[in-house]
Amino acid sequence: MQLQKKNFVDFYNEVRDQFPKMRELNTWDNYDWSADSNDNFMIMTELSREMAKWVAEGHETEGQRLMDLIERYFHEGDDAVTSIIYTDFLVTIMEAKKEPRERIKKMMGPETETHYKNLFNFYFETDK
């Protein structure tokens, strides 16, 4: 029997439960974060920017914990969740300032790293 994959609501609830700073973001009021919402790409982008900010401020433990969650969702998340993580969360990391981006890349698990490297076929990292 195959386990049911987790959806956006599952992911967001885990993020909000495990990271109080994320819970404080206006994101949750500004966007529809239901499983079938078209706003999910905006939410993932904002979560990625927030994590990059944490890392830039020296909160690497929190950044690592979030990257561990991202890695887990590449295995546990449904296709919609993993697609938005790939196309929005990781692309936003590519756009982050170089110094925190390089630290974030070291936090990636093997699945996340593979997807990140695949993005080089479509995007490039900024040199900010």
Side-chain angles (χ1 to χ4, degrees):
M1 184 169 125
Q2 189 174 7
L3 295 174
Q4 183 174 350
K5 296 286 189 166
K6 295 180 179 181
N7 64 24
F8 286 109
V9 175
D10 299 320
F11 177 77
Y12 297 145
N13 281 328
E14 282 193 56
V15 167
R16 291 163 49 90
D17 289 344
Q18 293 181 31
F19 303 95
K21 288 181 182 181
M22 289 291 196
R23 191 178 319 120
E24 296 171 6
L25 295 176
N26 291 332
T27 304
W28 312 112
D29 298 323
N30 294 341
Y31 301 109
D32 174 7
W33 48 286
S34 61
D36 59 351
S37 170
N38 291 325
D39 291 345
N40 288 305
F41 73 95
M42 296 292 293
I43 296 168
M44 282 294 179
T45 297
E46 288 194 20
L47 296 179
S48 184
R49 286 181 181 147
E50 181 69 13
M51 187 206 56
K53 185 175 112 183
W54 295 348
V55 172
E57 293 172 351
H59 304 285
E60 291 190 19
T61 301
E62 292 297 293
Q64 182 64 64
R65 287 183 51 235
L66 184 54
M67 289 308 298
D68 291 346
L69 182 67
I70 293 294
E71 178 73 12
R72 189 163 50 84
Y73 264 81
F74 272 122
H75 300 282
E76 297 176 7
D78 65 18
D79 289 342
V81 174
T82 58
S83 293
I84 297 295
I85 289 172
Y86 179 67
T87 59
D88 291 281
F89 189 90
L90 293 180
V91 169
T92 303
I93 289 172
M94 295 184 98
E95 297 169 347
K97 291 183 180 179
K98 185 175 182 173
E99 192 271 326
R101 180 183 66 232
E102 293 304 314
R103 288 192 282 162
I104 291 167
K105 287 167 44 177
K106 292 177 183 171
M107 298 174 186
M108 293 178 179
E111 191 75 23
T112 306
E113 183 179 11
T114 297
H115 289 297
Y116 189 85
K117 288 178 179 177
N118 287 339
L119 287 171
F120 286 110
N121 293 317
F122 310 103
Y123 302 97
F124 58 91
E125 296 175 325
T126 61
D127 288 333
K128 299 181 203 175

